[in-house]
Amino acid sequence: MRGPARSTVAEVSASRMPGRGKAVLTGIAFLVALAILLSLGTWQMQRLAWKEQLLADMAERRIAAPAPLADIEAMAAKGDDIEYRPVTVTGIFANNRERHFFATWRGQTGYYVYTPLQLADGRFLFVNRGFVPFEAKEPEMRKQGQLTGEQTVIGLARARLAEKPSSIVPDNDVAKNIFYWKDLDVMASSVAIPADKLVPFFVDAGDALNPKGLPIGAVTQFDLPNNHLQYAVTWYGLAAALVGVALYAVFRRKGDRPAP
């Protein structure tokens, strides 16, 4: 009698093993998925804190008093962040060397005009003087806006780009003087400005009016997207939904078990 009884117990235990193994694997997959969702939500919360601090820094910088160009250069040389820092600089525009950056402004297609400003020491600083509509790309169409003589520009320092920001951005068309991304080195070399005579960042001109209104200054955009809270809620919501599905499956499985 004992032999058959022991055999039956062993067979029952063996038949249950595949089910238990599946449950263990399911549990592991659940924990991994939950950990990924929670980590993504936490990462977005960290990004949210970083973005809010960045926006606060930008707002604080924009209302600061303009600093001399030498101060901004010293910061850049130390590797400090110069983005959106007010700056004042004096020089003479090299209007015959302006470069054109394809842009839209308030729904209108055109260009930002980047003109080298020659400083007293012979170096050049590219200034984004502002927007001109497509039909006013050529300087001959806006002669009165081609400022001559010594000019003082008050604007915002803008860092140079290390590389093209995205593969979907078109390559710059130097021959036609149309830039799709701000490659400072190429902008300079295309108008025969040597690297040792180039200030290694840009300046966006402020809202000082130009004759006949062109270029239109103060085109710096500050509307940085900040959707990190929305993304965090999404990831945490998916984590909560996953827990809910798992609990439902556990309780349903318990309810389906036959009574002893």
Side-chain angles (χ1 to χ4, degrees):
M1 293 296 292
R2 291 183 178 179
R6 290 178 178 175
S7 177
T8 301
V9 171
E11 290 174 357
V12 171
S13 299
S15 65
R16 290 180 177 177
M17 286 303 293
R20 289 178 179 175
K22 183 178 179 180
V24 170
L25 291 176
T26 301
I28 293 174
F30 163 76
L31 292 175
V32 170
L34 181 62
I36 292 173
L37 292 173
L38 290 175
S39 63
L40 287 171
T42 301
W43 176 65
Q44 287 296 337
M45 291 301 294
Q46 293 170 345
R47 294 282 294 174
L48 174 64
W50 168 79
K51 182 61 70 65
E52 289 180 340
Q53 184 60 53
L54 176 62
L55 292 172
D57 289 344
M58 285 172 51
E60 183 178 353
R61 292 175 188 180
R62 288 165 57 188
I63 62 174
L69 178 64
D71 291 355
I72 304 299
E73 287 189 275
M75 292 181 63
K78 292 189 298 183
D80 293 342
D81 185 9
I82 64 168
E83 277 284 83
Y84 306 109
R85 294 189 181 276
V87 59
T88 180
V89 58
T90 298
I92 299 174
F93 281 117
N95 292 310
N96 61 332
R97 295 180 173 184
E98 68 180 32
R99 302 287 83 188
H100 303 144
F101 176 79
F102 184 79
T104 57
W105 175 248
R106 297 180 177 175
Q108 190 175 15
T109 302
Y111 302 91
Y112 290 159
V113 177
Y114 280 81
T115 306
L117 184 73
Q118 187 168 15
L119 309 179
D121 61 7
R123 294 182 303 147
F124 292 88
L125 167 69
F126 270 89
V127 176
N128 176 8
R129 296 193 58 209
F131 176 81
V132 295
F134 185 81
E135 61 273 14
K137 177 179 186 292
E138 299 306 322
E140 292 77 13
M141 304 301 296
R142 43 184 168 82
K143 290 183 178 180
Q144 289 181 295
Q146 301 295 87
L147 301 178
T148 59
E150 190 173 81
Q151 304 291 327
T152 295
V153 177
I154 298 176
L156 300 173
R158 302 299 308 277
R160 68 190 301 168
L161 297 178
E163 58 185 4
K164 186 162 69 170
S166 170
S167 60
I168 65 174
V169 176
D171 292 332
N172 293 324
D173 190 340
V174 180
K176 294 183 178 179
N177 189 11
I178 300 177
F179 287 79
Y180 297 98
W181 68 282
K182 298 185 297 181
D183 189 337
L184 179 57
D185 290 335
V186 174
M187 282 183 168
S189 63
S190 65
V191 289
I193 296 176
D196 61 346
K197 294 293 185 179
L198 181 65
V199 177
F201 53 84
F202 301 94
V203 166
D204 286 354
D207 57 1
L209 294 178
N210 291 309
K212 294 295 183 180
L214 292 177
I216 302 170
V219 295
T220 308
Q221 299 185 29
F222 304 97
D223 54 342
L224 298 181
N226 187 14
N227 300 316
H228 299 295
L229 180 59
Q230 176 183 338
Y231 297 150
V233 170
T234 298
W235 291 122
Y236 285 142
L238 289 173
L242 180 63
V243 172
V245 170
L247 291 175
Y248 172 78
V250 169
F251 286 120
R252 181 176 180 181
R253 185 174 181 181
K254 287 184 178 179
D256 291 343
R257 288 180 181 175

